[in-house]
Amino acid sequence: MPIKAVTFDCAQTLVEVDWNPGAVISECAIAQGHAFDSETGAARYGDLLQARRPEFCRLNRLNDRIAIDEFWSNLARHWAEEFGIHSAAVGSILEEADRRLFGADSCIFRLFPDVPACLLTLKCDGYRLAVISNWDISLHRVLLMHGIDSYFDLVIPSLCLGIEKPDPRIFEHALQELDVPAGSALHVGDHPVDDLHGARSAGMHALLIDRSRPHCQLPYISSLDQLPEVLRSIA
């Protein structure tokens, strides 16, 4: 059965991610002249975020972007208050964090260089493309910031659906939305359980990308440059 659709994980597959939320906000605050121990600040922010995770997940399932922005603002204000940072300074700290996360020179979300050419080739070859990632609502923004959002027919952040990989239901949902049978779809990711096992549990083909292994055998590939040829070899 020929492949008609290709789905991708995002983190460490399409985009190199180096995000520690607590470290980011602590670094931004310190850069603006606020003095405190960065490790303590990062750890405390992480604790506050973990305690509020159920609310964050709920807002993602509602797909309420305004409420999620307010969630981050309230979290930052609570954290800042504990470290003696006046609430009036929180806005500028958040602006700096936003620039570091989503700005043109972001070091937190970096597009892998083999991604654009691969997506262009697959789109020109007629494949339906999707992203299935254990991520929050910001997944859309990350794809947009790198100029690759238009390649995808479907983008599924797990927190918005309420189901995370490796649960096969998240893959089954994508297949239903794409109107493609499992045997005609292939998933590409970097995690042996979340991506390989999860996709195969839904009946899909699956590959793992490991850019640190220049010479590897299927189900591993070392570059997305190999993907078009691999797809053509699958009957």
PDB file of all heavy atoms in Angstrom, residues 170-182:
ATOM      1  N   ILE A 170      -3.856   9.289  19.511  1.00  0.00           N
ATOM      2  CA  ILE A 170      -3.478  10.565  18.920  1.00  0.00           C
ATOM      3  C   ILE A 170      -3.114  10.377  17.443  1.00  0.00           C
ATOM      4  O   ILE A 170      -3.411  11.233  16.600  1.00  0.00           O
ATOM      5  CB  ILE A 170      -2.312  11.221  19.693  1.00  0.00           C
ATOM      6  CG1 ILE A 170      -2.161  12.693  19.283  1.00  0.00           C
ATOM      7  CG2 ILE A 170      -1.012  10.465  19.529  1.00  0.00           C
ATOM      8  CD1 ILE A 170      -1.199  13.476  20.179  1.00  0.00           C
ATOM      9  N   PHE A 171      -2.518   9.233  17.112  1.00  0.00           N
ATOM     10  CA  PHE A 171      -2.225   8.921  15.717  1.00  0.00           C
ATOM     11  C   PHE A 171      -3.506   8.595  14.952  1.00  0.00           C
ATOM     12  O   PHE A 171      -3.680   8.997  13.798  1.00  0.00           O
ATOM     13  CB  PHE A 171      -1.246   7.745  15.638  1.00  0.00           C
ATOM     14  CG  PHE A 171       0.097   8.030  16.253  1.00  0.00           C
ATOM     15  CD1 PHE A 171       0.383   7.623  17.548  1.00  0.00           C
ATOM     16  CD2 PHE A 171       1.075   8.706  15.537  1.00  0.00           C
ATOM     17  CE1 PHE A 171       1.621   7.878  18.121  1.00  0.00           C
ATOM     18  CE2 PHE A 171       2.315   8.974  16.098  1.00  0.00           C
ATOM     19  CZ  PHE A 171       2.594   8.559  17.395  1.00  0.00           C
ATOM     20  N   GLU A 172      -4.398   7.867  15.600  1.00  0.00           N
ATOM     21  CA  GLU A 172      -5.670   7.524  14.967  1.00  0.00           C
ATOM     22  C   GLU A 172      -6.488   8.773  14.669  1.00  0.00           C
ATOM     23  O   GLU A 172      -7.156   8.854  13.628  1.00  0.00           O
ATOM     24  CB  GLU A 172      -6.448   6.561  15.867  1.00  0.00           C
ATOM     25  CG  GLU A 172      -5.795   5.183  15.963  1.00  0.00           C
ATOM     26  CD  GLU A 172      -6.315   4.357  17.131  1.00  0.00           C
ATOM     27  OE1 GLU A 172      -7.150   4.890  17.905  1.00  0.00           O
ATOM     28  OE2 GLU A 172      -5.875   3.202  17.287  1.00  0.00           O
ATOM     29  N   HIS A 173      -6.436   9.741  15.572  1.00  0.00           N
ATOM     30  CA  HIS A 173      -7.132  11.009  15.336  1.00  0.00           C
ATOM     31  C   HIS A 173      -6.565  11.707  14.103  1.00  0.00           C
ATOM     32  O   HIS A 173      -7.324  12.222  13.268  1.00  0.00           O
ATOM     33  CB  HIS A 173      -6.987  11.913  16.560  1.00  0.00           C
ATOM     34  CG  HIS A 173      -7.571  13.273  16.387  1.00  0.00           C
ATOM     35  ND1 HIS A 173      -8.919  13.537  16.506  1.00  0.00           N
ATOM     36  CD2 HIS A 173      -6.989  14.476  16.070  1.00  0.00           C
ATOM     37  CE1 HIS A 173      -9.141  14.817  16.291  1.00  0.00           C
ATOM     38  NE2 HIS A 173      -7.990  15.413  16.022  1.00  0.00           N
ATOM     39  N   ALA A 174      -5.243  11.721  13.987  1.00  0.00           N
ATOM     40  CA  ALA A 174      -4.614  12.355  12.819  1.00  0.00           C
ATOM     41  C   ALA A 174      -5.013  11.647  11.530  1.00  0.00           C
ATOM     42  O   ALA A 174      -5.328  12.298  10.521  1.00  0.00           O
ATOM     43  CB  ALA A 174      -3.103  12.340  12.978  1.00  0.00           C
ATOM     44  N   LEU A 175      -5.016  10.330  11.553  1.00  0.00           N
ATOM     45  CA  LEU A 175      -5.392   9.573  10.358  1.00  0.00           C
ATOM     46  C   LEU A 175      -6.823   9.879   9.937  1.00  0.00           C
ATOM     47  O   LEU A 175      -7.122  10.011   8.743  1.00  0.00           O
ATOM     48  CB  LEU A 175      -5.229   8.073  10.626  1.00  0.00           C
ATOM     49  CG  LEU A 175      -3.802   7.575  10.853  1.00  0.00           C
ATOM     50  CD1 LEU A 175      -3.813   6.132  11.357  1.00  0.00           C
ATOM     51  CD2 LEU A 175      -2.984   7.681   9.565  1.00  0.00           C
ATOM     52  N   GLN A 176      -7.707   9.985  10.927  1.00  0.00           N
ATOM     53  CA  GLN A 176      -9.103  10.307  10.629  1.00  0.00           C
ATOM     54  C   GLN A 176      -9.220  11.692  10.009  1.00  0.00           C
ATOM     55  O   GLN A 176      -9.949  11.894   9.028  1.00  0.00           O
ATOM     56  CB  GLN A 176      -9.940  10.212  11.895  1.00  0.00           C
ATOM     57  CG  GLN A 176     -11.419  10.460  11.668  1.00  0.00           C
ATOM     58  CD  GLN A 176     -12.227  10.272  12.944  1.00  0.00           C
ATOM     59  OE1 GLN A 176     -11.683  10.109  14.028  1.00  0.00           O
ATOM     60  NE2 GLN A 176     -13.544  10.313  12.819  1.00  0.00           N
ATOM     61  N   GLU A 177      -8.500  12.661  10.573  1.00  0.00           N
ATOM     62  CA  GLU A 177      -8.544  14.021  10.049  1.00  0.00           C
ATOM     63  C   GLU A 177      -7.950  14.107   8.647  1.00  0.00           C
ATOM     64  O   GLU A 177      -8.425  14.885   7.802  1.00  0.00           O
ATOM     65  CB  GLU A 177      -7.793  14.966  10.997  1.00  0.00           C
ATOM     66  CG  GLU A 177      -8.462  15.171  12.341  1.00  0.00           C
ATOM     67  CD  GLU A 177      -9.785  15.911  12.211  1.00  0.00           C
ATOM     68  OE1 GLU A 177      -9.821  16.964  11.540  1.00  0.00           O
ATOM     69  OE2 GLU A 177     -10.794  15.418  12.765  1.00  0.00           O
ATOM     70  N   LEU A 178      -6.917  13.327   8.401  1.00  0.00           N
ATOM     71  CA  LEU A 178      -6.275  13.326   7.077  1.00  0.00           C
ATOM     72  C   LEU A 178      -7.019  12.464   6.067  1.00  0.00           C
ATOM     73  O   LEU A 178      -6.740  12.540   4.866  1.00  0.00           O
ATOM     74  CB  LEU A 178      -4.829  12.825   7.203  1.00  0.00           C
ATOM     75  CG  LEU A 178      -3.863  13.728   7.977  1.00  0.00           C
ATOM     76  CD1 LEU A 178      -2.559  12.973   8.248  1.00  0.00           C
ATOM     77  CD2 LEU A 178      -3.589  15.023   7.215  1.00  0.00           C
ATOM     78  N   ASP A 179      -7.946  11.624   6.579  1.00  0.00           N
ATOM     79  CA  ASP A 179      -8.706  10.695   5.738  1.00  0.00           C
ATOM     80  C   ASP A 179      -7.764   9.756   4.983  1.00  0.00           C
ATOM     81  O   ASP A 179      -7.873   9.559   3.768  1.00  0.00           O
ATOM     82  CB  ASP A 179      -9.597  11.458   4.754  1.00  0.00           C
ATOM     83  CG  ASP A 179     -10.644  10.558   4.089  1.00  0.00           C
ATOM     84  OD1 ASP A 179     -10.990   9.522   4.688  1.00  0.00           O
ATOM     85  OD2 ASP A 179     -11.097  10.891   2.969  1.00  0.00           O
ATOM     86  N   VAL A 180      -6.843   9.169   5.747  1.00  0.00           N
ATOM     87  CA  VAL A 180      -5.849   8.254   5.185  1.00  0.00           C
ATOM     88  C   VAL A 180      -5.818   7.002   6.056  1.00  0.00           C
ATOM     89  O   VAL A 180      -5.779   7.102   7.285  1.00  0.00           O
ATOM     90  CB  VAL A 180      -4.452   8.912   5.166  1.00  0.00           C
ATOM     91  CG1 VAL A 180      -3.384   7.908   4.763  1.00  0.00           C
ATOM     92  CG2 VAL A 180      -4.428  10.104   4.223  1.00  0.00           C
ATOM     93  N   PRO A 181      -5.831   5.796   5.463  1.00  0.00           N
ATOM     94  CA  PRO A 181      -5.720   4.579   6.271  1.00  0.00           C
ATOM     95  C   PRO A 181      -4.332   4.455   6.890  1.00  0.00           C
ATOM     96  O   PRO A 181      -3.347   4.964   6.342  1.00  0.00           O
ATOM     97  CB  PRO A 181      -5.982   3.455   5.268  1.00  0.00           C
ATOM     98  CG  PRO A 181      -5.668   4.037   3.939  1.00  0.00           C
ATOM     99  CD  PRO A 181      -5.989   5.494   4.021  1.00  0.00           C
ATOM    100  N   ALA A 182      -4.266   3.763   8.021  1.00  0.00           N
ATOM    101  CA  ALA A 182      -3.003   3.646   8.749  1.00  0.00           C
ATOM    102  C   ALA A 182      -1.884   3.060   7.887  1.00  0.00           C
ATOM    103  O   ALA A 182      -0.736   3.501   7.971  1.00  0.00           O
ATOM    104  CB  ALA A 182      -3.203   2.794  10.003  1.00  0.00           C
TER     105      ALA A 182
END
